[in-house]
Amino acid sequence: MSESRLERRFAALKAEGRGGLVTFTTAGDPDYDTACKILQRLPAAGADVIELGMPFSDPMADGPSIQAASLRALDAGMTLQKTLDMVRGFRAEDDVTPIVLMGYYNPIYSYGVDAFLKAALDAGVDGLIVVDLPPEEDDELCEPAVAAGLHFIRLATPTTDDARLPKVLTNTSGFIYYVSIMGITGTKAASGDAVRAAVTRLKGHTDLPVAVGFGIRTPDQAAEVAAVADAAVVGTALVEQVKAGLGPDGLAGEGLVDGVIDYVASLAQGVRAARQG
C-alpha cells in the first residue's frame, strides 16, 4: 500500500522536528456554506491535520459546546452525505492535507457501512474516529474500514492501562488520540508533566504518532503539548469561536470565518514555536 496522507504528514512533521496542529470543527456548523469556507482555509492558517465532526443528535461523549455545534448543523440541514460532499469539495483544491471524520456509529450504520466506506474513500477521507465502538466490536466498522484502506484511529485515556493498551492498539493506524483528561470534551487541560508521562508510556507500546487533545485553548497550551507529543488537538475552543461569530439571529456573522481562521493561525504559531525535546 502506498504511503497515506496521514503517514506523509506525520513523517514531514518529524523531519521538521515539531509537533503538529490538529483542528476539529463540526461539519455544517453553523451552516453548510460557512463551514465549507472554514474548512477550505484551515490548511493555510496552519492546520496540519483536520478532524471533521459528523453531526449527530446524541453526541454523548462531547461537552455542551460540541453538542450545540452538532445541533446547529443538524438544524441547518446537515447530513452525513453533505459531510462527505464537504470533503469532496475540499479535495478539489487540496489533495495533501489529511482529513479524519470523527463521530458516532449510528449515522454510519444508517448510511450502510459498505456504502459509507466506499463514499468516504471516493470523497477523499483519510481516516475515522468513531468514539462509541470499542475494540471488541471491530468487526462492525474498524476491520472493514482498514480493509478498504481507511485509517481507524482509536482513543486512549488516563485509565487505559498497560493491560488494556494492546487491545486498543489492535487495528489502530494513522495515529493514536490521547484524551488527556477524563470526562466530556471541553473541560480543563492536563498538566505538561502529565502529558509528557502519558506520551512516553504510549510510545512504549506503539510506533504510531500520538496526538493529545481535550482542554487546549491557547497558543501556549498548544505549544506545551506539541513540544512533547506528535500533535496537539484543538476542538471545543475552536467550535466556541464559531459560536462567538454568530449574530443575534443565530446565523453566521460577517466576521465569523475570519475570526475562526485568525484563532487557528495563533494556535499554529504557538505549535510551530515549540520544538520537540
Side-chain angles (χ1 to χ4, degrees):
M1 182 186 294
S2 61
E3 196 176 41
S4 69
R5 292 185 190 94
L6 273 170
E7 290 165 336
R8 287 194 295 270
R9 179 51 50 94
F10 277 108
L13 291 170
K14 185 176 182 179
E16 290 178 41
R18 70 172 180 89
L21 175 63
V22 181
T23 59
F24 171 93
T25 57
T26 299
D29 177 33
D31 61 74
Y32 184 84
D33 289 343
T34 303
C36 285
K37 290 174 183 176
I38 293 170
L39 179 62
Q40 294 286 358
R41 292 178 59 184
L42 284 172
D48 295 299
V49 177
I50 294 170
E51 287 180 10
L52 194 59
M54 299 177 282
F56 180 49
S57 57
D58 187 24
M60 59 207 176
D62 292 299
S65 295
I66 293 179
Q67 287 183 9
S70 262
L71 293 178
R72 284 194 299 268
L74 292 171
D75 287 346
M78 199 59 184
T79 64
L80 185 52
Q81 181 59 56
K82 288 183 178 179
T83 301
L84 296 173
D85 292 343
M86 278 185 68
V87 178
R88 188 182 303 279
F90 177 88
R91 285 283 172 243
E93 304 294 330
D94 185 323
D95 195 39
V96 176
T97 306
I99 290 185
V100 174
L101 296 185
M102 185 172 186
Y104 299 81
Y105 183 45
N106 184 278
I108 296 171
Y109 178 80
S110 298
Y111 193 102
V113 168
D114 291 342
F116 169 77
L117 293 176
K118 182 179 186 304
L121 281 167
D122 289 347
V125 173
D126 299 292
L128 303 173
I129 302 175
V130 182
V131 299
D132 55 347
L133 278 182
E136 287 74 15
E137 298 177 27
D138 272 2
D139 58 338
E140 288 281 341
L141 178 64
C142 174
E143 291 173 2
V146 172
L150 285 168
H151 289 289
F152 203 87
I153 295 137
R154 199 87 70 180
L155 304 182
T157 73
T159 61
T160 309
D161 61 24
D162 289 345
R164 176 66 174 167
L165 258 178
K167 185 69 172 177
V168 169
L169 291 167
T170 300
N171 296 323
T172 299
S173 65
F175 62 93
I176 187 162
Y177 184 164
Y178 180 67
V179 177
S180 59
I181 54 158
M182 294 305 298
I184 57 174
T185 58
T187 46
K188 65 182 182 180
S191 71
D193 288 344
V195 170
R196 183 184 296 274
V199 170
T200 299
R201 185 171 72 89
L202 289 169
K203 292 284 190 179
H205 288 264
T206 181
D207 293 329
L208 289 172
V210 178
V212 176
F214 278 46
I216 300 171
R217 292 182 171 274
T218 69
D220 286 346
Q221 288 175 329
E224 185 177 30
V225 169
V228 298
D230 296 292
V233 185
V234 182
T236 295
L238 190 48
V239 166
E240 288 173 355
Q241 287 289 322
V242 174
K243 181 183 177 183
L246 299 176
D249 55 3
L251 302 178
E254 185 176 342
L256 187 153
V257 176
D258 286 342
V260 170
I261 294 305
D262 288 347
Y263 176 65
V264 172
S266 72
L267 294 169
Q269 188 173 13
V271 164
R272 282 159 173 75
R275 307 301 290 185
Q276 291 188 307

